[in-house]
Every structure is written in structure tokens, then in C-alpha cells.
């Protein structure tokens, strides 16, 4: 007899039309991928794109050497008239999604460490899980703290939200969702100091701290799977707010085990676009984030300072690469720090075009709420979406409603009127 947990997991798996393709890269074997340029082009080899880059256009066809003297090349590729665009969801999952993962590591995150070379050990003591990761003869240690909902057991395990920096626990626990936190500073300090468990293993690598935090989420999940049978490791959300929301987005991006990514008030290098950066808030940009906290990303991103319109990606590209897995984005209209409006009317709807095209439009949601930066009410605001993903609970709340921001800024992603025909 199948347990309820297995049924829920089976239901989640089959509701995403494209999931089997992602799970097996062998599918679509007759498709030839555009080769990823090697070495990766530098900023000056990309055209200036004042609107969001076309997510369907491979890097190979994005560089200016494709222009062949045309003065309209940048405009053409921005409007979806580029050559060699991805044509089918199969090609997206086989070619473009892996390319996006590569280019984001190259240009922003730094290269995620090879997990197959790591050994994870975990022990549980009450509500504490001690985690030790060994690689290359070195060991890094940190711990996670558990809060389990009443009734969770090995035979009735609860889904979990792993968070850094704290969250609104009560409504999640009341909804039957476990909450697990870890001290992100013990994984990687939010500074240039390169201290913490991640750097104990990987000091010297050109990797951003957002990636180190993402790694902390993933090793926490490994440890939960080994030691906490009351938690279902196949229904997992990741969250954090502001810089920690940028980290949560990276956590969702780099590990297919993450069922639901929940970036809160995340801003640039999160769900805030580099382009259209000043639509609301104090205008967080590539330039000032790189200057203020350069350690969040790798050094390559620094070469795009004052050239952010040459970036061949933007926040919508990161979100699109998470499909077909679920993503719900929080922003507050009173947020003085991040560009809530740019996230809501530019990055989110552009990513949704890709989710829709892949047949999984219901897996991405935008939650525009009142309140400021990291207001805890954001967690209640996204909870119905979380319950839909974890339990299949119906909700009448519309996560395509942009609230007071009203409608998408379609001029920011003109390629959307020319999505590849299926
Ligand atoms: C949990 O551990 C088992 C046994 O090692 C493994 O097969 C499974 O993929 C793991 N699940 C997750 C979500 O990591």
C-alpha cells in the first residue's frame, strides 16, 4: 500500500508535464545543442541590451560576432528575432537550461563544488542536527535546528522549509510544515573574511557567498534525509530575506531536490532585475551591490560593473532555469531597499512567459503585499501557494495579481510576443 506521502510525491511528479525530461537528459537525444562558447565571452563581446535578454536565445547567438555588420542586431535579439533560438521544451531542458546554469556560475555565482567528492556525516541530538562535510581531506562543520509540527512522524513525515535568518514559524508549523534553520554565518560569513564551514573546504576558490549559503541549504537537506525521519526530503522549500533571499534563490537554482524556492525581498542577484533597477526603492544596482558586498558573487561579475546592460542574462533568466520546479516570489510595496516594482512587473512576468511556454505556469507565483523590507507578513502571504505545492491544497488567492503595481511592463521583455511556436 502506498503511503499518503508517496501519493503526494507521485501527484507532484506527474502534474509537471515536463518533469520527466528534466529527470532524464537522455530524452530528446536527437537534438543538437548550440555549443556553449569556450572560453566564455567577456562583457565587451555582448551587445548592449536595454531590455531583458531573450531567454530562448543561446549564448552562441547572443555575441556581437553574429551581427555581421547589422546595426539592428541588439534590437533584433531583444525582440526575439535572433537566429538559433530554442524551439521546444525538450530543447530547453536538454540544452538551454544546462547552459543557463553554466553561464550563471561563470558570470555571477562562481562554480558550485562537486558534491560527488564530498562526504556528509550527520548526527541528531534533540532538535539539533550536527553536520560535518569532508572533501579533499578537510572538514567543515555547522548545525541546523529543527521545529517539527505536531503529528509529524516517520510514517507521516512533514514537508519542510529550510530557512536562513529566521522566518514566521507559527503559521507554517500550524499548517503541518516543519521549519529548519541554520546559522548562515557558520557556513560562510557575510563578508570577505572567507570563514565558515564552506570556506574550511573551499578557501581560495572564486565563489560568491550566495553560492556558499546555497551549499549550506543542500548539505542541511542531506543531513535531514539521514537523521530526521519525521521530515519528508522530497517536499522541501528554501527561503531567506534580502541578501539571504538571494541565497535562497541560488539554493533553488543549484539543486533539483528543492521543490519550492521562496526568495523574500531579494533584490539584485535575487529576483530584482539588473536592468529596470530603479522602479522603486533606493535603487540597488549591480554597481552598488558589487561595491558594497562584492563577496556575494564571484569576481567575474565585477567585470560587468558599468556594463550591466551587456549581461546576457537577468533575474528572469535565473527564475526560468528553476522551471519546472515551483517558485514563489515575495515583495512588499513599502520596501525601501529593493526594487519591488521591478521584480513584480519586469522579472516575474518575464520568467512566467517561460514557465507558461513549458506548460508549468501554475508553478510560479508573485506575492505583492503591503509592508516593508523583510516584513514577516510576507511568509503568511505566500503560505497558500506553499500549501498548494506541498499538499495540493486549493487556494483562491491569485498569485498572478500584481496588486497596486497592476500590470506587467511588457516593453521590458519584447521577445515575449514572439515565443517559439509549439
Ligand atoms: C535520501 O537518501 C537516500 C539514501 O541515500 C537517497 O537515495 C535519496 O535520494 C535521498 N533523498 C534526498 C532528497 O536527498
Amino acid at each position: 500500500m502506498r503511503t499518503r506521502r508517496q501519493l503526494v510525491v507521485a501527484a507532484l511528479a506527474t502534474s509537471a508535464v515536463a518533469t520527466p525530461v528534466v529527470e532524464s537528459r537522455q530524452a530528446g537525444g536527437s537534438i543538437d545543442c548550440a555549443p556553449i562558447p569556450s572560453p566564455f565571452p567577456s562583457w565587451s563581446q555582448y551587445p548592449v541590451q536595454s531590455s531583458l535578454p531573450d531567454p530562448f536565445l543561446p549564448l552562441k547567438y547572443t555575441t556581437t560576432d553574429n551581427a555581421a555588420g547589422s546595426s539592428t542586431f541588439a534590437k533584433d535579439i531583444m525582440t526575439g528575432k535572433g537566429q538559433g533560438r530554442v524551439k521546444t521544451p525538450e530543447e530547453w531542458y536538454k540544452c538551454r537550461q544546462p547552459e543557463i546554469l553554466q553561464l550563471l556560475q561563470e558570470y555571477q555565482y562562481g562554480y558550485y563544488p562537486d558534491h560527488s567528492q564530498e562526504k556528509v556525516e550527520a548526527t541528531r541530538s534533540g532538535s539539533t542536527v550536527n553536520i560535518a562535510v569532508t572533501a579533499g581531506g578537510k572538514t567543515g562543520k555547522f548545525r541546523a535546528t529543527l521545529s517539527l509540527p505536531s503529528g509529524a512522524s516517520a510514517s507521516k513525515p512533514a514537508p519542510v522549509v529550510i530557512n536562513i535568518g529566521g522566518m514566521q514559524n507559527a503559521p507554517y508549523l500550524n499548517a503541518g510544515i516543519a521549519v529548519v534553520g541554520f546559522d548562515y554565518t557558520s557556513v560562510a560569513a557575510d563578508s570577505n573574511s572567507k570563514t565558515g564551514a564552506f570556506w574550511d573546504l573551499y578557501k581560495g576558490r572564486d565563489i560568491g557567498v550566495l553560492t556558499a549559503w546555497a551549499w549550506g541549504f543542500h548539505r542541511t537537506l542531506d543531513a535531514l534525509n539521514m537523521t530526521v525521519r519525521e521530515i519528508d526530503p522530497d517536499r522541501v522549500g528554501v527561503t531567506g530575506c534580502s541578501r539571504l533571499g538571494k541565497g535562497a534563490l541560488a539554493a533553488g537554482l543549484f539543486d533539483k531536490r528543492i521543490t519550492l524556492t521562496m526568495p523574500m525581498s531579494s533584490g539584485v542577484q535575487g529576483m530584482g532585475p539588473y536592468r529596470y533597477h530603479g522602479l522603486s526603492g533606493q535603487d540597488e544596482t549591480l554597481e552598488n551591490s558589487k561595491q558594497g558586498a562584492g563577496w556575494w558573487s564571484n569576481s567575474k561579475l565585477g567585470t560587468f560593473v558599468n556594463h550591466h546592460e551587456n549581461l546576457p542574462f537577468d533575474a528572469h533568466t535565473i527564475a526560468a532555469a528553476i522551471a519546472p520546479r515551483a517558485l514563489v516570489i515575495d515583495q512588499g510595496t513599502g520596501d525601501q531597499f529593493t526594487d519591488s516594482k521591478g521584480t513584480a512587473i519586469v522579472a516575474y512576468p518575464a520568467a512566467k512567459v517561460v514557465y507558461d511556454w513549458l506548460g508549468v505556469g501554475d508553478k510560479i507565483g508573485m506575492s505583492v503585499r503591503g509592508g516593508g523590507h523583510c516584513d514577516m507578513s510576507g511568509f503568511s502571504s505566500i503560505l497558500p501557494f506553499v500549501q498548494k505545492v506541498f499538499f495540493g491544497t486549493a487556494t483562491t488567492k491569485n498569485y498572478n495579481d500584481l496588486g497596486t503595481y497592476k500590470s506587467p511592463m511588457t516593453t521590458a521583455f519584447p521577445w515575449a510576443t514572439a515565443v517559439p511556436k509549439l
Side-chain angles (χ1 to χ4, degrees):
M1 200 183 104
R2 295 215 290 180
T3 62
R4 188 168 147 273
R5 166 185 162 191
Q6 285 167 325
L7 290 172
V8 171
V9 172
L12 289 172
T14 50
S15 63
V17 176
T19 296
V21 181
V22 179
E23 296 311 317
S24 167
R25 288 271 155 68
Q26 316 311 328
S30 61
I31 296 166
D32 285 328
C33 296
I36 300 176
S38 175
F40 275 90
S42 64
W43 71 268
S44 61
Q45 292 172 276
Y46 291 112
V48 170
Q49 298 191 65
S50 53
S51 55
L52 301 186
D54 177 3
F56 298 106
L57 189 67
L59 274 194
K60 177 177 163 45
Y61 301 106
T62 304
T63 48
T64 49
D65 57 343
N66 291 280
S70 164
S71 60
T72 59
F73 178 67
K75 181 162 190 253
D76 289 347
I77 66 169
M78 285 190 282
T79 51
K81 297 192 190 78
Q83 301 298 308
R85 296 172 89 209
V86 165
K87 291 180 195 66
T88 62
E90 290 68 29
E91 190 180 353
W92 174 273
Y93 289 123
K94 180 173 182 232
C95 306
R96 181 61 176 156
Q97 186 188 51
E99 179 179 83
I100 292 171
L101 276 163
Q102 287 298 307
L103 76 88
L104 289 173
Q105 289 176 86
E106 172 73 18
Y107 292 125
Q108 175 161 305
Y109 291 106
Y111 284 89
Y112 189 93
D114 180 359
H115 179 53
S116 70
Q117 302 302 309
E118 294 174 339
K119 181 162 149 264
V120 180
E121 289 170 296
T123 55
R124 175 181 179 182
S125 165
S127 60
T128 301
V129 176
N130 296 295
I131 304 162
V133 187
T134 302
K138 295 172 187 152
T139 300
K141 294 180 180 172
F142 66 106
R143 59 177 55 144
T145 304
L146 306 172
S147 301
L148 297 172
S150 63
S153 66
S155 59
K156 196 167 171 278
V160 62
V161 173
I162 307 173
N163 76 89
I164 49 178
M167 63 182 280
Q168 201 182 35
N169 290 13
Y172 283 73
L173 293 168
N174 290 340
I177 299 166
V179 175
V180 171
F182 65 90
D183 173 10
Y184 63 92
T185 63
S186 67
V187 170
D190 185 17
S191 73
N192 253 330
S193 70
K194 312 282 186 213
T195 53
F198 181 84
W199 297 117
D200 288 343
L201 302 183
Y202 300 117
K203 197 177 249 148
R205 296 197 190 182
D206 185 6
I207 300 175
V209 162
L210 302 183
T211 309
W213 292 336
W215 178 91
F217 279 96
H218 305 153
R219 302 298 73 84
T220 298
L221 175 54
D222 296 341
L224 294 176
N225 188 31
M226 294 161 77
T227 61
V228 187
R229 297 188 59 218
E230 300 95 316
I231 285 178
D232 180 356
D234 294 317
R235 286 180 291 166
V236 180
V238 287
T239 195
C241 190
S242 197
R243 60 193 63 198
L244 309 178
K246 308 177 202 293
L249 183 68
L253 177 71
F254 287 124
D255 193 329
K256 293 201 157 54
R257 297 176 302 169
I258 306 304
T259 323
L260 171 61
T261 305
M262 305 148 60
M264 318 296 285
S265 306
S266 60
V268 296
Q269 295 174 45
M271 280 308 302
Y274 288 120
R275 297 163 179 87
Y276 307 95
H277 47 74
L279 299 185
S280 70
Q282 288 171 356
D283 199 9
E284 188 187 26
T285 61
L286 168 62
E287 286 73 23
N288 60 31
S289 66
K290 198 60 191 160
Q291 189 179 27
W295 54 85
W296 289 340
S297 57
N298 67 0
S299 65
K300 194 74 172 275
L301 187 64
T303 65
F304 286 85
V305 164
N306 300 323
H307 308 293
H308 71 266
E309 290 187 340
N310 293 76
L311 280 169
F313 68 93
D314 214 316
H316 67 304
T317 322
I318 305 175
I322 292 174
R325 290 176 294 115
L327 170 65
V328 64
I329 303 158
D330 158 83
Q331 287 294 147
T333 53
D335 189 331
Q336 74 276 39
F337 297 118
T338 67
D339 181 14
S340 287
K341 190 172 183 180
T343 297
I345 73 171
V346 174
Y348 158 72
K352 186 165 195 304
V353 171
V354 180
Y355 268 78
D356 284 340
W357 182 80
L358 292 168
V360 291
D362 63 329
K363 292 290 170 65
I364 185 170
M366 181 72 224
S367 170
V368 177
R369 56 165 172 83
H373 190 63
C374 296
D375 191 304
M376 282 285 163
S377 67
F379 288 103
S380 316
S381 182
I382 63 170
L383 184 55
F385 191 98
V386 176
Q387 290 171 296
K388 184 182 75 164
V389 172
F390 285 159
F391 304 112
T393 317
T395 174
T396 52
K397 184 164 172 171
N398 178 5
Y399 285 92
N400 195 35
D401 178 356
L402 306 183
T404 52
Y405 296 138
K406 299 204 177 85
S407 26
M409 184 195 275
T410 53
T411 51
F413 42 100
W415 43 264
T417 56
V419 298
K421 288 208 167 50
L422 297 178

